[in-house]
Amino acid sequence: MASMMKAAVFVEKGRIVLEDKKIPDVGPNDALMRVTTTTICGTDIHILKGEYPVEKGLTIGHEPVGVIEKLGSAVKGFREGQRVIAGAITPSGWSNACLCGCSSQDGAGTKHGWKATGGWKFGNTIDGCQAEYVLVPDAMANLAPIPDDLSDEEVLMCPDIMSTGFVGAENGNIKIGDTVVVFAQGPIGLCATAGAKLMGASRIIAVDTVPARLAMAKRMGADEVVDFKASNNVVETILEMTDGRGCDVAIEALGLQATFEWALRSIRPGGTLSSLGVYSGDLKIPVDAFAAGLGEKTIRTALCPGGKERMRRMMEVVRARRVDFSALVTHRYSIDQIEDAYELFANQRDGVLKVAISL
């Protein structure tokens, strides 16, 4: 086995480049995965633009599909050569947060066992998976075998955007017969739209302005679409569509003050705003939209759920053909072309939704 590998590395603001790095050593609880397919996430673009700080020299990426190359001495229940995925969030499985069901806020190693966003390690606090190999920590909690009848691309959405989009629907506590509005139909918003349909929403309204994304929203389960640029007032449009009642649930999947406020104003009294956005500035709650705190509106935030059981469930949804996410992969590149892939994805050219990076 070679000692070096190719990896996409954060160098400085505006530069993620392909470099040679040492293949990581394997600890007793770890697994070394040979990555066969990965992708680029919007969060990686925040890192590229310097909007989310990471250490220089860090390998980026958090959506790995691959094969177990080597297992740590304490890892049981898996075998080398087995096809697996690991979630974008890799919880320890034993921290206080994990044992309370909040594994994305994993605080393993802290005094109290909690750390905000602590489960997100790949491409954040440890080397990520836009590389030929990635070290998976706490492998027994995070490796999920891929069913033989699923391809790499079929499970590529499971580690992050599918899990994130679905938790947006789950946190909305959607009930059969609910009306749901989803703001922004990027990859995560599209998965939230699909999740809302799976949970039994009877009416789903998708909001965006890119025609291709609005069309894709229909494929993912939206009943109606709203182009917010063509609408004089998107909130008034949604209220008119619901006969003044408002939606039961609004899912915000972009992370802007405007979309957050639209979502809050679009829900009925007692409704739920499920927020998936990554906010980079102060977020304000308008008093009137919040009914001065008396409108019984719920605001829930989320980080992508991870861990092997979550990944198993995501793959079972794909395997049962409940949702077809294959159309979300619009472009394909090799690892040697990853800098070109970043240029395309960062500038949202050529109708890109998700890119598949093969190794």
Side-chain angles (χ1 to χ4, degrees), residues 190 193-194 197 201 203-204 216-224:
L190 289 166
T193 297
K197 181 179 180 180
R203 188 181 187 190
I204 302 170
M216 185 62 70
K218 285 287 194 79
R219 291 182 61 175
M220 291 295 109
D223 300 288
E224 297 156 280

Side-chain angles (χ1 to χ4, degrees), residues 20 48 76 159:
D20 287 334
L48 173 68
K76 308 298 181 185

Side-chain angles (χ1 to χ4, degrees), residues 107-273:
T110 67
K111 182 178 180 180
H112 43 71
W114 297 83
K115 183 180 178 183
T117 73
W120 176 28
K121 301 179 181 76
F122 285 147
N124 183 21
T125 58
I126 65 174
D127 278 336
C129 61
Q130 290 170 11
E132 292 180 290
Y133 295 91
V134 63
L135 191 70
V136 180
D138 299 297
M140 290 177 67
N142 291 299
L143 292 178
I146 301 171
D148 291 339
D149 53 347
L150 293 180
S151 69
D152 279 13
E153 280 197 13
E154 286 178 306
V155 301
L156 183 58
M157 305 303 136
C158 297
D160 185 2
I161 69 162
M162 183 181 176
S163 185
T164 301
F166 278 20
V167 81
E170 291 163 324
N171 275 358
N173 193 27
I174 295 169
K175 298 178 176 63
I176 292 172
D178 273 354
T179 296
V180 178
V181 59
V182 184
F183 287 92
Q185 294 296 304
I188 287 176
L190 289 166
C191 291
T193 297
K197 181 179 180 180
L198 285 176
M199 291 194 70
S202 60
R203 188 181 187 190
I204 302 170
I205 303 167
V207 180
D208 205 287
T209 193
V210 180
R213 294 191 173 196
L214 292 172
M216 185 62 70
K218 285 287 194 79
R219 291 182 61 175
M220 291 295 109
D223 300 288
E224 297 156 280
V225 298
V226 174
D227 180 344
F228 68 83
K229 285 189 176 179
S231 171
N232 291 328
N233 185 314
V234 68
V235 174
E236 287 184 4
T237 298
I238 292 166
L239 291 177
E240 288 172 4
M241 293 170 72
T242 58
D243 197 25
R245 177 181 183 273
C247 297
D248 299 287
V249 178
I251 302 173
E252 198 287 307
L254 187 58
L256 298 178
Q257 175 68 38
T259 46
F260 178 88
E261 188 170 333
W262 291 345
L264 187 60
R265 293 184 183 279
S266 296
I267 55 175
R268 60 166 171 77
T272 299
L273 191 169

Side-chain angles (χ1 to χ4, degrees), residues 267-291:
I267 55 175
R268 60 166 171 77
T272 299
L273 191 169
S274 178
S275 172
L276 296 174
V278 179
Y279 303 96
S280 56
D282 289 341
L283 189 65
K284 299 177 181 178
I285 299 177
V287 173
D288 63 325
F290 202 47

